[in-house]
Amino acid sequence: ARVESALRAFLPGRGIRELGAEGKQRPAATRSEYFPVLYVEPLAGNEAAVGLDVSSRQSNADALWRATEEGGTVTSAAFTLVQDGGNRRMVVMYYPVYRPGLLPESAAGRRKQLLGFAAAVLEPRMLILRGILQFRPTGLDVMLLEHSAGGTRVLHFHPSRSRTESIPMPTVEAFQTGLHVNVP
């Protein structure tokens, strides 16, 4: 109630929200734990994220608990950002923040000491482009993959800038049949 009151003071009508099955936001159901976004920078254009319980998306909840239990940074599976109407694929890096003092060695102990998370939202496509565009064109195609329990999928494909014709995105299997290097 205290958090929702503060959210409403900041953005009138706002409370803790969750994502429904159709991907639309709705008031969060009653449960024992919530992980709402309380701070976002920049705020302009990202207001839709304020108050959203990030654990309402299962892939994010999995990343949150893995980060908590491991005591380090974990990256979520790729998802569509709520702020831009579903046009961009993103990942979030979660870093757990614990109460001051000695960090417990056990996962259960770390979970009890958890205060929240610092998070960075990243767009894999832009990471690749910013990294590549600062160098002269090469004959390298770049494919960014996401490996998860559900399988492997392409997050972004960037064909070589030295090509004279565009090429369609190859399948992961076709991409890996030629000379390639995998870097985790």
Side-chain angles (χ1 to χ4, degrees):
R2 191 176 81 232
V3 170
E4 288 201 313
S5 176
L7 285 168
R8 281 192 270 287
F10 181 65
L11 290 172
R14 187 63 52 102
I16 298 175
R17 296 175 333 279
E18 65 186 9
L19 291 175
E22 67 288 345
K24 302 286 185 200
Q25 293 189 39
R26 63 182 183 210
T30 302
R31 55 182 170 269
S32 62
E33 294 178 306
Y34 302 93
F35 292 96
V37 173
L38 299 178
Y39 304 100
V40 65
E41 183 61 36
L43 177 60
N46 292 308
E47 295 88 345
V50 176
L52 178 64
D53 178 3
V54 295
S55 70
S56 65
R57 179 179 278 126
Q58 188 58 52
S59 63
N60 285 1
D62 294 343
L64 292 170
W65 292 124
R66 210 169 83 234
T68 302
E69 292 170 2
E70 294 173 7
T73 304
V74 170
T75 303
S76 74
F79 63 93
T80 303
L81 202 61
V82 296
Q83 289 95 308
D84 68 359
N87 296 322
R88 299 181 332 197
R89 301 289 293 164
M90 310 297 262
V91 296
V92 180
M93 293 176 63
Y94 291 107
Y95 182 78
V97 178
Y98 302 99
R99 288 181 177 81
L102 189 62
L103 186 61
E105 289 187 28
S106 73
R110 283 191 292 277
R111 193 167 178 158
K112 287 180 184 177
Q113 295 294 90
L114 182 68
L115 289 174
F117 296 89
V121 179
L122 306 171
E123 184 175 10
R125 182 181 72 86
M126 291 309 296
L127 290 174
I128 294 293
L129 291 176
R130 285 188 181 133
I132 288 175
L133 293 179
Q134 63 184 315
F135 300 106
R136 65 181 175 79
T138 65
L140 297 176
D141 297 323
V142 177
M143 183 177 279
L144 182 61
L145 304 175
E146 175 180 63
H147 301 287
S148 67
T152 299
R153 68 178 171 166
V154 177
L155 290 181
H156 179 69
F157 174 68
H158 186 83
S160 166
R161 292 181 294 144
S162 65
R163 290 186 184 277
T164 57
E165 296 179 8
S166 63
I167 63 167
M169 182 175 69
T171 65
V172 173
E173 295 77 19
F175 190 81
Q176 292 178 338
T177 58
L179 180 61
H180 72 281
V181 176
N182 287 338
V183 180

